[in-house]
């Protein structure tokens, strides 16, 4: 059976170019300029396709997020600034995954501040005592929100990361299970909590965080994420808990 290489050309607009050595191994990326332009492109070799006709593929853009979530004012200029700063990397960390890269948002101080401000504006008057951040990128967005609204920040961590006595909650992954842990005594019954992460996909980690907090009597007010992947229907796993996101 013939093996036909199938290159895919990806045009990057307005993104910083990362050296080839920094990309995930197995999907080589080379940067060059289009003739007579200053626009960089990345050429990525996709895995060989077996037994298919050698049909050329059209240019496919590396996608940036551009749609405001339904519960955000899409006319707010901050939303477009946030969405345009989030880069999507194909086939990372493995083939078939479109990785939502918020590190490019963090490189833009104004977009990063806009992100925090939008969350703070929503939660500053909701009497929230606890901001629970999910490891790891919930640790980026959670603490500045907590400081701004006068709440404490509680890290929700992977197993064996917290040094004190912990309470644990197991949750399902696509293949197997994982565990989320929180320090005993970090929260008190009757406190009102906001659960923060960068992204909701299948909703497994957010639902585990909700269960963990509710087991000790905490009222989970809402979950907040920068990005939602609605096609994965993660919000369906949150039960009756509301979800607030900025871009989808």
């Amino acid at each position: 059976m013939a093996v036909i290489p199938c290159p895919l050309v990806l045009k990057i607009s307005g993104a910083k170019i990362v050296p080839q050595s920094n990309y995930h191994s197995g999907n080589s990326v080379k940067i060059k300029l289009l003739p007579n332009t200053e626009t960089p492109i990345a050429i990525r070799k996709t895995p060989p396709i077996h037994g298919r006709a050698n049909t050329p593929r059209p240019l496919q853009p590396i996608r940036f997020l551009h749609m405001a979530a339904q519960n955000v004012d899409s006319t707010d200029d901050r939303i477009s600034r946030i969405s345009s700063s989030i880069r999507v990397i194909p086939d990372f960390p493995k083939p078939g995954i479109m990785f939502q890269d918020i590190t490019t948002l963090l490189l833009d101080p104004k977009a990063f501040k806009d992100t925090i401000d939008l969350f703070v504006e929503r939660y500053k008057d909701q009497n929230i005592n606890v901001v629970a951040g999910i490891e790891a990128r919930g640790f980026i967005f959670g603490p500045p929100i907590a400081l701004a609204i006068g709440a404490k920040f509680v890290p929700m961590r992977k197993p064996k990361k917290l040094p004190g006595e912990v309470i644990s909650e197991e949750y399902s992954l696509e293949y197997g299970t994982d565990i989320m842990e929180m320090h005993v005594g970090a929260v008190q019954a009757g406190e009102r909590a906001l659960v923060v992460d960068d992204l909701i996909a299948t909703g497994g980690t957010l639902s585990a965080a909700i269960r963990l907090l509710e087991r000790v009597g905490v009222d989970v007010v809402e979950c907040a994420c920068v990005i939602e992947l609605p096609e994965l229907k993660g919000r369906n796993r949150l039960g009756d808990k509301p979800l607030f996101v900025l871009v989808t």
Side-chain angles (χ1 to χ4, degrees), residues 168-185:
S168 303
E169 180 71 28
E170 186 175 270
Y171 60 98
S172 299
L173 300 171
E174 185 178 2
Y175 301 103
T177 60
D178 206 344
I179 294 174
M180 180 178 295
E181 294 185 339
M182 173 180 68
H183 268 142
V184 171

Side-chain angles (χ1 to χ4, degrees), residues 54-129:
N54 189 11
T55 305
R57 290 188 179 184
L59 292 179
Q60 299 290 332
I62 284 185
R63 182 169 63 91
F64 287 80
L65 301 178
H66 289 294
M67 185 182 298
Q70 291 182 355
N71 46 12
V72 180
D73 181 4
S74 60
T75 64
D76 192 324
D77 290 341
R78 294 175 294 180
I79 295 299
S80 60
R81 186 158 43 242
I82 292 165
S83 63
S84 63
S85 70
I86 299 170
R87 180 173 57 176
V88 181
I89 304 294
D91 298 328
F92 183 87
K94 60 183 181 180
I97 301 296
M98 300 293 287
F99 185 80
Q100 315 295 312
D101 182 16
I102 56 93
T103 64
T104 47
L105 184 154
L106 304 178
L107 294 174
D108 184 337
K110 189 166 184 58
F112 189 15
K113 182 178 185 301
D114 288 340
T115 302
I116 301 303
D117 287 348
L118 282 164
F119 287 129
V120 170
E121 289 167 14
R122 182 172 179 84
Y123 298 114
K124 63 183 179 180
D125 297 321
Q126 294 199 32
N127 298 317
I128 289 172
N129 316 105

Side-chain angles (χ1 to χ4, degrees), residues 102 112 116 119 131-146 153-156 194-199 205-206 224-226:
I102 56 93
F112 189 15
I116 301 303
F119 287 129
V131 175
I134 295 177
E135 187 171 352
R137 289 180 289 275
F139 296 175
I140 296 172
F141 299 101
I145 296 170
F153 178 75
V154 176
M156 314 290 278
L194 170 69
V195 182
V196 174
D197 205 354
D198 69 319
L199 178 146
T205 53
L206 283 175
C225 298
V226 180

